[in-house]
Each structure stands twice: as structure tokens, then as C-alpha cells.
């Protein structure tokens, strides 16, 4: 994960309002992702007993930057090979060059079988074959698959990406992390303490940031906020995807975007917080800070974030409520998904691999999460995730500017570096950059639909 710290200077604190994301049509799946697999363990055993015999002895090639044979996933890989008689092979592809490297492999007739979507959509569509029964043998309407993701990644007539409803790789949304030892030693309540008091909201978060600054003796603010997830949590998105129409739109002009940036800007201008685009920051792990907001990957064991941190020091809980009397905490959404590569030599074997790989029952779950408490929070974040705030801005920005890395172009490049007095002006100017990405992304999607 790339890590980048941004400073935001502005004035005016406003209370954020949770409003439905504009442009998402009427498609609002109820209940979030859910956690039930839709199939019992016995059903899954029978599913693999029915595997075509000609697939035995074949190899499934998975293009990824994670060596799953050297992580907690080894148990799953071993089980897949023993259950199916197929072989697993990793095709190592750097995360930063994932799309371009795979396009080259496809052109050279060296396509892998399985690929992962981890923030590159819609560019990932350039790599994928549709998940039809004819080509892959996969039934995407089976309740084994997360139907929210099936709907999200059904483009035109076909679905291109899936994840299991009960998958340890079906990532959860963002949460709050903190160094509880630092907070407690300085006489401060932790975010979890505030949750237990039903007092974890934007006002109490702001107050806590001030207490950290004055009490903990850090040379910097002591708090880091993941801007992308923070804004999306409160209804602000740089780009909005309408899964009903398969269209992106520019979300920078929404009231939630301006209000959210103003709240963050006030915190930065008062020296209470630093901003990062996405990913994680080492502040709570190395003792230079006490709190940060970030994605749920930090709840997992190695290679998850904070794996070197003493578990007695690490705490985690929800993102803060907007208002103290809100019924529940806000939840973001992760869109990690998997598909079958265009040019795959073993698409049906790949479909069986995904069915096995994306079932948490095939893992030693005790090795996946840092603690049982972390697992419980992760599952709740996953179950309550809101598909309407799926984050596609990095992929859309890089559709227009592949060399940008998605980190310094668009909204969070031109706005956060601007002056306080120019926030609204810079936000309007950034909208032009977003328009360029949205235009290219929609053209790519329409080209895929036209070729179906």
C-alpha cells in the first residue's frame, strides 16, 4: 500500500449530514453484504465431487502480488490441491503495475487464469472475460456469491467479478485504530471507551484530537485521518458509480463533499490531524501518534497492517457517528473482487479455484485475524457495508492518467494542497480533472458493453 500524508488548510467547521449518495439510482441492496454463504459444508463437498474429471491434473495460475503460500492462505491452497487434484501456481505481478503487466501478458498469449480487482476498476475490465456458464461453468446467481458485488460488477449483460459471501478475502470497510497504551497512560479515554459510553461521534472525536495534541507530547498532531474513507463514510465521493446504468458521474459538487472537506480542513488548520489519501500510517505502531482512521486490513494478521505492533497496545472500533443521537455508526464499503482473465487456458478450473479460495470455511480463521474481537468487528463492518459508497476514484483517475498512480491527480491532488481561502475555488477546478477521468471510464465501460 502506498502511504502519503497530505495537509489540508481551511477554516469553518460544519456539522456533516449523512445523505444518500446521489446518482446511485434505485438500486440500494438491503442488508449490506451479508455473511451467510448460502451453502452448507456438505453442499460444498458435493459441489467439488461433481467437478469434471478432465480438470484433474490441470493448473490454475493466479496473478497476484501476495505470495499466498507464505501466509495464512497456505491452508486453503493445500486444501484446494488435495480436494480437486488441480495445481496452484502464483504469477507474481507488482501491485503498482498490475493492469499494464497483465495486458502485456495477455498480448503475449501468457494470460494467467485468475485476477484480482483491488481498486483499479473500471480498468480491470480490460483483463476480464465475462463469467458465463458456457465459458466458466460459474453460476453467479448462486447465493454462495456476494450478490451485492455481483450486481455492482454486472456490466451490460454479464458479470465480470465476484467474491464469496462468506469469504475471508471479501474485505470490510474502514474503522478507527488507536494505541490504547498511549491514551491510557496520558489519562485519555480511547475511542472504544467512548463507544461503550455511546459518545463516539464527530464532536467527541474532535475533542479527543485536541486532548491528544496537548497531552501526549507528540512532535506532530498525533492523529491521522484516511481522507478517502472518511469522506465516503459521510456521503461524499469524488466519483459516483451508478450500477443500474453502468455509468460514473462526478461527485465533487455535492454538499457533502464541501462540508466534509471543511471539517477535515479545520482539524488540519488547528494542528489536530494530518491527512492521508488511503492505506495506513505507522504513527500508532511506532509511537508517534495515538489514533488513525483507515481500512479494515489492519484487523488482519500478517500481511495486514500493524503486524509488528504489540496486541496489548492496539485498539480498534467503529468510525465515529456524525451526530451523537444517530441510530448506528456509519459504514464504508470495500470492492475487492476476483475474476477470470481474458485468454485464460483453464477458465473452468479457475472457477473451481475461486469457489474454494473465496470460502472462509477453507481457512484456519484463528490465523487470519489479530484477535477474536478483531474478527467480530471485521465481520460487522463487512456485513453492514454500504455498496452505494463503493470507492472507485483511484481507478477512474488512472483511466485518464495511468502514470499518476492515482495519488496526486484529481480532487485530492489539487484541493488538499491549496490554501484555506481557495478551498471552494480549488474544488471547482479539481472537478475538471474528475470530469476527464469520468469521461474515459465511461467510454471504457461502453466499449465493453458494445463488444458483448
Amino acid at each position: 500500500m502506498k502511504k502519503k500524508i497530505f495537509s489540508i488548510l481551511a477554516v469553518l467547521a460544519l456539522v456533516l449530514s449523512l445523505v444518500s449518495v446521489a446518482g446511485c439510482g434505485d438500486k440500494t441492496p438491503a442488508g449490506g453484504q451479508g455473511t451467510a454463504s448460502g451453502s452448507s459444508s456438505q453442499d460444498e463437498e458435493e459441489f467439488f465431487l461433481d467437478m469434471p474429471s478432465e480438470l484433474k491434473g490441470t493448473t490454475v495460475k493466479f496473478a497476484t502480488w501476495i505470495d499466498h503460500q507464505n501466509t495464512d492462505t497456505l491452508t486453503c491452497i493445500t486444501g484446494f490441491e488435495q480436494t480437486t487434484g488441480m495445481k496452484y501456481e502464483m504469477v507474481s505481478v507488482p501491485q503498482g503495475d498490475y493492469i499494464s503487466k497483465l495486458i502485456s501478458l495477455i498480448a503475449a498469449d501468457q494470460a494467467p487464469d485468475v485476477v484480482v480487482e483491488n481498486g483499479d476498476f473500471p480498468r480491470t475490465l480490460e483483463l476480464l472475460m465475462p463469467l458465463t456458464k458456457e465459458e466458466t461453468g460459474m453460476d453467479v446467481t448462486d447465493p454462495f456469491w456476494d450478490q451485492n458485488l455481483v450486481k455492482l460488477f454486472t456490466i451490460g449483460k454479464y458479470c465480470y467479478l465476484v467474491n464469496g459471501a462468506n469469504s475471508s478475502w471479501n474485505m470490510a470497510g474502514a474503522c478507527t485504530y488507536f494505541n490504547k497504551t498511549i491514551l491510557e497512560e496520558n489519562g485519555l479515554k480511547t475511542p472504544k471507551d467512548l463507544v461503550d459510553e455511546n459518545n463516539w461521534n464527530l464532536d467527541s472525536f474532535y475533542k479527543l484530537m485536541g486532548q491528544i495534541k496537548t497531552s501526549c507530547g507528540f512532535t506532530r498532531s498525533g492523529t491521522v485521518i484516511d481522507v478517502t474513507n472518511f469522506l465516503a463514510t459521510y456521503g461524499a465521493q469524488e466519483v459516483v458509480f451508478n450500477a443500474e446504468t453502468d455509468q460514473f458521474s462526478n461527485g465533487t459538487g455535492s454538499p457533502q463533499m464541501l462540508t466534509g472537506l471543511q471539517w477535515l480542513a479545520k482539524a488540519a488548520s488547528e494542528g489536530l490531524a494530518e491527512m492521508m489519501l488511503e492505506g495506513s500510517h505507522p504513527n500508532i505502531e511506532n509511537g508517534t501518534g495515538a489514533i488513525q482512521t483507515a481500512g479494515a486490513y489492519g484487523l488482519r494478521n500478517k500481511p495486514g497492517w500493524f503486524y509488528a505492533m504489540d496486541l496489548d497496545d492496539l485498539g480498534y472500533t467503529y468510525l465515529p457517528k456524525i451526530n451523537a443521537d444517530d441510530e448506528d455508526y456509519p459504514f464504508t464499503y470495500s470492492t475487492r473482487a476476483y475474476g477470470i482473465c481474458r485468454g485464460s487456458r483453464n477458465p473452468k478450473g479457475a472457477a473451481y479455484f475461486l469457489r474454494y479460495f473465496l470460502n472462509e470455511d477453507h481457512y484456519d480463521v484463528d490465523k487470519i485475524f489479530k484477535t477474536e474481537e478483531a474478527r467480530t468487528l471485521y465481520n460487522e463492518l463487512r456485513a453492514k457495508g454500504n455498496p452505494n459508497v463503493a470507492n472507485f476514484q483511484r481507478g477512474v483517475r488512472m483511466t485518464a492518467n495511468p502514470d499518476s498512480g492515482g495519488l496526486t491527480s484529481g480532487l485530492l491532488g489539487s484541493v488538499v494542497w491549496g490554501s484555506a481561502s481557495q478551498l471552494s475555488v480549488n474544488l471547482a477546478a479539481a472537478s475538471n480533472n474528475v470530469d476527464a477521468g469520468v469521461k474515459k471510464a465511461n467510454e471504457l465501460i461502453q466499449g465493453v458493453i458494445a463488444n458483448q
Side-chain angles (χ1 to χ4, degrees), residues 212-229:
I212 290 170
K213 179 184 177 183
T214 58
S215 301
C216 294
F218 298 127
T219 57
R220 305 182 75 143
S221 65
T223 299
V224 175
I225 295 176
D226 168 0
V227 174
T228 300
N229 275 313

Side-chain angles (χ1 to χ4, degrees), residues 252-373:
T252 62
S254 71
Q256 294 82 17
M257 178 62 72
L258 180 58
T259 303
L261 285 172
Q262 288 171 331
W263 191 95
L264 292 170
K266 183 174 186 291
S269 67
E270 294 182 0
L272 301 183
E274 295 176 88
M275 308 299 155
M276 65 180 177
L277 178 60
E278 55 191 353
S280 69
H281 189 270
N283 71 326
I284 63 169
E285 188 170 14
N286 62 22
T288 62
I291 191 170
Q292 72 172 268
T293 65
Y297 201 51
L299 298 174
R300 299 170 67 96
N301 277 325
K302 190 174 182 179
W305 302 322
F306 320 124
Y307 59 82
M309 190 172 178
D310 190 323
L311 292 181
D312 290 335
D313 296 332
L314 179 62
Y316 27 79
T317 192
Y318 309 107
L319 291 169
K321 292 180 180 180
I322 298 168
N323 305 298
D325 58 354
D326 288 345
E327 184 175 344
D328 202 356
Y329 294 90
F331 297 92
T332 60
Y333 191 78
S334 172
T335 54
R336 191 179 183 97
Y338 297 81
I340 300 178
C341 193
R342 186 163 48 88
S344 164
R345 289 193 169 96
N346 192 9
K348 291 187 177 180
Y352 276 94
F353 172 79
L354 288 176
R355 181 91 178 203
Y356 200 95
F357 180 72
L358 299 176
N359 184 348
E360 194 170 273
D361 292 343
H362 297 145
Y363 293 75
D364 182 349
V365 179
D366 291 337
K367 294 182 179 179
I368 295 174
F369 299 99
K370 287 181 167 55
T371 64
E372 187 60 32
E373 183 183 10

Side-chain angles (χ1 to χ4, degrees), residues 5-291:
I5 299 296
F6 293 90
S7 294
I8 303 179
L9 297 177
V11 291
L12 181 63
L14 296 176
V15 177
L16 294 164
S17 300
L18 183 58
V19 180
S20 299
V21 178
C24 289
D26 296 327
K27 185 176 178 182
T28 308
Q33 293 185 16
T35 57
S37 67
S39 304
S40 68
S41 297
Q42 183 62 37
D43 291 337
E44 287 302 292
E45 289 179 12
E46 294 175 357
F47 182 88
F48 286 96
L49 286 174
D50 291 336
M51 188 186 81
S53 59
E54 63 267 22
L55 292 178
K56 292 182 179 180
T58 63
T59 298
V60 175
K61 297 181 179 181
F62 182 14
T64 177
W65 52 91
I66 300 175
D67 185 355
H68 289 294
Q69 290 172 299
N70 284 308
T71 68
D72 55 70
T73 312
L74 176 61
T75 299
C76 174
I77 298 300
T78 301
F80 166 74
E81 292 182 330
Q82 293 174 345
T83 299
T84 65
M86 286 190 277
K87 299 176 182 178
Y88 166 85
E89 180 181 326
M90 174 185 176
V91 178
S92 182
V93 182
Q95 184 177 4
D97 300 322
Y98 195 74
I99 302 297
S100 61
K101 294 293 186 185
L102 282 173
I103 288 175
S104 297
L105 288 175
I106 293 170
D109 196 27
Q110 298 177 11
D113 301 302
V114 174
V115 294
V116 58
E117 154 55 32
N118 191 46
D120 289 307
F121 186 83
R123 297 186 307 143
T124 323
L125 290 170
E126 299 179 75
L127 312 176
L128 301 171
M129 67 166 57
L131 300 176
T132 63
K133 288 184 180 179
E134 293 75 18
E135 287 192 82
T136 70
M138 184 182 291
D139 178 8
V140 297
T141 66
D142 188 317
F144 173 89
W145 305 109
D146 179 342
Q147 291 302 305
N148 282 338
L149 279 174
V150 167
K151 293 173 184 177
L152 200 62
F153 290 121
T154 295
I155 306 301
K157 295 186 293 184
Y158 303 122
C159 177
Y160 288 85
L161 290 160
V162 293
N163 208 324
N166 184 40
S167 165
S168 65
W169 290 102
N170 199 344
M171 300 303 190
C175 60
T176 302
Y177 300 94
F178 52 92
N179 190 315
K180 55 187 176 184
T181 301
I182 289 176
L183 291 172
E184 290 168 358
E185 287 180 348
N186 285 278
L188 302 179
K189 292 182 179 179
T190 71
K192 182 63 167 60
D193 293 333
L194 295 171
V195 167
D196 292 341
E197 296 175 1
N198 194 26
N199 187 34
W200 180 231
N201 52 69
L202 288 181
D203 287 341
S204 62
F205 182 25
Y206 208 89
K207 180 180 178 181
L208 179 58
M209 289 192 293
Q211 292 172 333
I212 290 170
K213 179 184 177 183
T214 58
S215 301
C216 294
F218 298 127
T219 57
R220 305 182 75 143
S221 65
T223 299
V224 175
I225 295 176
D226 168 0
V227 174
T228 300
N229 275 313
F230 192 89
L231 290 174
T233 298
Y234 301 106
Q237 294 169 278
E238 183 177 339
V239 295
V240 178
F241 183 59
N242 186 330
E244 300 289 345
T245 62
D246 298 328
Q247 291 282 301
F248 286 100
S249 60
N250 186 338
T252 62
S254 71
Q256 294 82 17
M257 178 62 72
L258 180 58
T259 303
L261 285 172
Q262 288 171 331
W263 191 95
L264 292 170
K266 183 174 186 291
S269 67
E270 294 182 0
L272 301 183
E274 295 176 88
M275 308 299 155
M276 65 180 177
L277 178 60
E278 55 191 353
S280 69
H281 189 270
N283 71 326
I284 63 169
E285 188 170 14
N286 62 22
T288 62
I291 191 170

